[in-house]
Amino acid sequence: MLDTETPCAKPEPTEEKPIFPESPVERPLNVDEPSQVLQKEQLESIASSSEIRDALQDESLQKLILGIDSSSNPEIELDKAMEVEAFRTFTDKILASISP
């Protein structure tokens, strides 16, 4: 039996929140050695790696990276993340991607 008393209503679209905040923590970029800065080719190698892109689908890894990026002291957060096996595996994939 159909309910003819209730009009059809267009469902309101739900807005998905982005995983990453829109305004990251502002901090200066300090590099002790120019050799620590990745070259364009190295960044392209990382971006084109299907292994790295697949790893980035992991929500727990996304949260670790977000925690490092949004921290006022990212070096401490990076040290904590290195204790997590999935993050170490991820960083190994990045290093393999940029090393000849």
Side-chain angles (χ1 to χ4, degrees):
M1 183 165 146
L2 294 174
D3 183 4
T4 57
E5 298 292 320
T6 307
C8 293
K10 185 177 179 180
E12 293 296 319
T14 57
E15 190 173 312
E16 291 186 30
K17 291 184 178 182
I19 295 173
F20 301 104
E22 292 192 25
S23 56
V25 173
E26 293 293 325
R27 61 182 167 267
L29 176 62
N30 297 316
V31 178
D32 295 332
E33 292 291 325
S35 63
Q36 293 177 336
V37 177
L38 294 178
Q39 300 299 310
K40 182 179 179 182
E41 296 80 22
Q42 292 172 306
L43 294 171
E44 289 171 349
S45 177
I46 292 168
S48 66
S49 169
S50 60
E51 263 192 324
I52 292 172
R53 285 195 316 267
D54 289 346
L56 286 171
Q57 297 301 312
D58 182 333
E59 282 190 43
S60 61
L61 184 58
Q62 291 174 5
K63 288 178 183 178
L64 280 171
I65 294 169
L66 178 60
I68 295 166
D69 188 50
S70 62
S71 174
S72 60
N73 196 336
E75 291 174 7
I76 289 175
E77 293 303 315
L78 179 60
D79 288 342
K80 289 179 191 175
M82 289 304 287
E83 296 174 7
V84 178
E85 178 70 27
F87 189 79
R88 283 196 314 271
T89 301
F90 175 70
T91 57
D92 287 344
K93 289 177 184 180
I94 290 176
L95 290 173
S97 173
I98 63 174
S99 298

